[in-house]
Amino acid sequence: MDGRVVAIRGAVVDIAFTQGSLPAINDALIIENSGEKPTLVEVQAHLDDEVLRAIALQATIGLRRGASVRRMGGAVLVPVGDAVLGRLLDVTGAPGDRLGPLPGNVPRRPIHRAPPPFRAQGAASELFRTGIKVIDLLAPHARGGKAAMFGGAGVGKTVLVMELIHAMVAGYRGISVFAGVGERSREGHEMLRDMTEAGVLDRTVLVYGQMNEPPGARWRVPMTALAVAEYFRDEQKKNVLLLMDNVFRFVQAGSEVSGLLGRLPSRVGYQPTLATEVAELQERIASVGDASVTAIEAVYVPADDFTDPAVMTIASHVDSMVVLSRAMAADGMYPAVDPIASSSILLDPLVVGETHVSVANAVRSAIEHYRELQDVIALLGMEELGREDRRIVERARRLMRFLTQPFAVTEAFTGMSGRSVALEDTLAGCRAILDGEADDWNESSLYMVGTFEEAREKEEAARTGRDAA
């Protein structure tokens, strides 16, 4: 016996070691629980020369004082490599999909690791095409970059991430790692079923720490997913798509752990180590040599407050920000991506070209002008606007409708088959609307379509129907 349990308070366990030095911070320990499964804990603080405080990564029900504790000799080790493809794992790397145990010779890696040195990291400049018009136009993603979907409850973050997975199935041939952090059990079942039906589960690893699990498990799940992704990047030199839903729950779990450890809270009640914890996660997402880890993260925005410290800390690390708007969702503009608030460092003529940047800026300018005039329109009506203002407003409304599109993952609910639109078609459609080609069209002809040509056919069919009537 290396140590023994001296106190248990929920997910926090105090352990005394009378012989040798104390295990290091972030080291894993196993608590032997007579008649029960052993419990894995992680060292978080040294209270004195003999006692440390650890956070449980598994349920502590049935644990007792005096239970013997065994050192693991380092951080939690999780299985990686080809053996975990197509499997659903928990924070400790144990399978949760009832497909039997993993092979005994599977390679294992620690969940804690330093980020690659800056000199070894590659620049992210190649575009990651999603087929979603508003994202490819206004917030393009980079292969090997970090993109985040910010939005409050119920505005479509998970649907957008699911659609990106669907788009990836069509054109992406690398490995995918999905980290479900503090989300609902139902979403995990749906994800597993959808990936099985799509036939991509054999190239995907699912790592889950769900709402019903202890805060320690939810806090460390992204690290487990990163350990898996880094192995494919560094050892097998493969491109990896890392999907996280939801990074805010990682921060929230860290806040719970901080409170359990007795640390004084910082701004808005968050943990004092907020910036460090987010940085430790985000800085490991990087390209090394020819292999990249591309991250797409969903971020819940509490009470739609984008000035929340957690949201602002996460936003400081990402290359592309996709901001979801509740007002647009209320108007039925799906995906409810705010074209003004969304941005990307890739929207640069040297990366995407002059044409793309000029069209994106013209679209933003028109929609921004429309929003400035919305109060005037609501009070006095369109008739009180000057001719030029009226023309810009009408084109902006058509642009906003053209940037909606039906998703493959919502086909069962909407009855509309999903559309994936090439960037060239998106640019051509927006340019045509800005040039006035759709000025005499019904706005509804541009709503929930793919390309501009599809909208043209919809308009012609509607005109034929009106003429016949």
Side-chain angles (χ1 to χ4, degrees):
M1 178 178 82
D2 286 333
R4 60 184 178 81
V5 175
V6 293
I8 304 163
R9 288 179 303 283
V12 173
V13 183
D14 289 356
I15 300 167
F17 286 83
T18 52
Q19 296 174 348
S21 59
L22 289 176
I25 302 295
N26 289 337
D27 272 11
L29 307 171
I30 295 268
I31 302 176
E32 304 290 355
N33 199 3
S34 56
E36 302 284 339
K37 276 177 62 179
T39 302
L40 190 67
V41 299
E42 187 179 271
V43 179
Q44 289 302 314
H46 293 166
L47 302 183
D48 57 35
D49 291 345
E50 291 189 348
V51 180
L52 59 79
R53 184 160 287 169
I55 196 82
L57 302 185
Q58 297 166 322
T60 54
I61 297 168
L63 272 192
R64 56 181 178 78
R65 284 191 301 172
S68 61
V69 180
R70 187 159 44 86
R71 299 171 194 253
M72 295 274 289
V76 177
L77 293 172
V78 295
V80 295
D82 294 337
V84 298
L85 289 172
R87 302 302 299 266
L88 188 150
L89 309 175
D90 68 8
V91 66
T92 65
D97 50 14
R98 299 178 186 169
L99 295 177
L102 294 166
N105 62 348
V106 63
R108 292 179 179 270
R109 291 290 181 273
I111 64 170
H112 295 290
R113 187 180 169 196
F118 196 68
R119 64 180 178 277
Q121 295 184 23
S125 59
E126 186 189 344
L127 289 188
F128 186 87
R129 303 284 175 87
T130 66
I132 299 171
K133 289 182 285 190
V134 67
I135 291 178
D136 286 346
L137 176 69
L138 299 172
H141 294 354
R143 196 177 295 279
K146 295 186 277 278
M149 321 286 165
F150 294 89
V155 294
K157 294 182 301 301
T158 300
V159 169
L160 200 51
V161 170
M162 292 283 286
E163 184 66 16
L164 286 166
I165 292 170
H166 197 273
M168 167 273 297
V169 170
Y172 183 77
R173 301 306 303 171
I175 301 294
S176 301
V177 179
F178 182 87
V181 188
E183 290 297 285
R184 303 166 187 84
S185 305
R186 168 185 60 78
E187 291 174 348
H189 287 294
E190 287 175 1
M191 176 73 71
L192 190 60
R193 189 190 66 228
D194 290 348
M195 287 198 157
T196 306
E197 289 173 359
V200 293
L201 196 59
D202 60 337
R203 299 200 312 276
T204 305
V205 185
L206 302 173
V207 188
Y208 273 91
Q210 294 173 158
M211 269 183 183
N212 59 332
E213 296 190 45
R218 286 179 272 127
W219 191 40
R220 289 312 188 203
V221 151
M223 303 304 181
T224 301
L226 269 171
V228 174
E230 285 169 341
Y231 179 85
F232 285 114
R233 179 194 68 194
D234 298 338
E235 306 292 327
Q236 299 194 3
K237 309 299 180 193
K238 290 181 177 174
N239 290 329
V240 182
L241 182 64
L242 177 65
L243 301 135
M244 285 196 223
D245 189 8
N246 187 303
V247 182
F248 178 80
R249 304 291 178 205
F250 159 74
V251 172
Q252 203 172 35
S255 181
E256 288 178 52
V257 168
S258 182
L260 289 167
L261 294 171
R263 294 180 188 144
L264 286 173
S266 182
R267 280 192 307 160
V268 199
Y270 284 109
Q271 61 269 46
T273 52
L274 171 64
T276 306
E277 288 173 15
V278 173
E280 283 174 352
L281 174 69
Q282 300 287 354
E283 293 304 311
R284 286 172 64 182
I285 302 167
S287 301
V288 178
D290 294 330
S292 64
V293 174
T294 306
I296 294 174
E297 310 167 7
V299 183
Y300 167 68
V301 179
D304 291 342
D305 178 13
F306 285 88
T307 63
D308 184 86
V311 175
M312 292 180 74
T313 304
I314 295 165
S316 68
H317 288 272
V318 299
D319 307 317
S320 304
M321 276 184 67
V322 177
V323 178
L324 295 164
S325 158
R326 189 169 300 281
M328 290 185 68
D331 289 342
M333 299 292 172
Y334 289 109
V337 175
D338 189 327
I340 308 304
S342 301
S343 62
S344 170
I345 62 168
L346 293 174
L347 206 58
D348 183 298
L350 297 173
V351 179
V352 297
E354 291 281 358
T355 306
H356 186 157
V357 173
S358 66
V359 171
N361 287 341
V363 168
R364 269 214 184 97
S365 177
I367 293 171
E368 204 159 9
H369 195 69
Y370 167 49
R371 287 192 176 170
E372 287 169 2
L373 294 170
Q374 270 184 316
D375 287 345
V376 175
I377 295 166
L379 287 169
L380 304 172
M382 288 274 283
E383 296 74 24
E384 296 302 313
L385 297 179
R387 183 186 298 172
E388 182 62 23
D389 282 345
R390 196 181 309 172
R391 190 169 79 238
I392 291 171
V393 165
E394 286 171 351
R395 287 179 186 173
R397 287 175 61 88
R398 284 167 172 78
L399 282 166
M400 288 172 73
R401 278 150 183 77
F402 179 64
L403 291 176
T404 62
Q405 76 189 78
F407 282 173
V409 295
T410 58
E411 199 170 313
F413 310 107
T414 63
M416 288 185 277
S417 58
R419 307 282 195 281
S420 180
V421 183
L423 176 61
E424 294 72 23
D425 292 334
T426 302
L427 293 172
C430 291
R431 185 78 267 167
I433 295 168
L434 288 164
D435 289 343
E437 285 188 38
D439 281 1
D440 58 342
W441 291 13
N442 252 345
E443 288 179 1
S444 59
S445 298
L446 292 152
Y447 179 67
M448 285 293 170
V449 295
T451 63
F452 189 72
E453 292 310 310
E454 189 184 336
R456 191 191 299 279
E457 289 167 13
K458 194 173 170 183
E459 172 66 15
E460 287 171 359
R463 280 187 181 173
T464 306
R466 287 197 297 273
D467 292 345

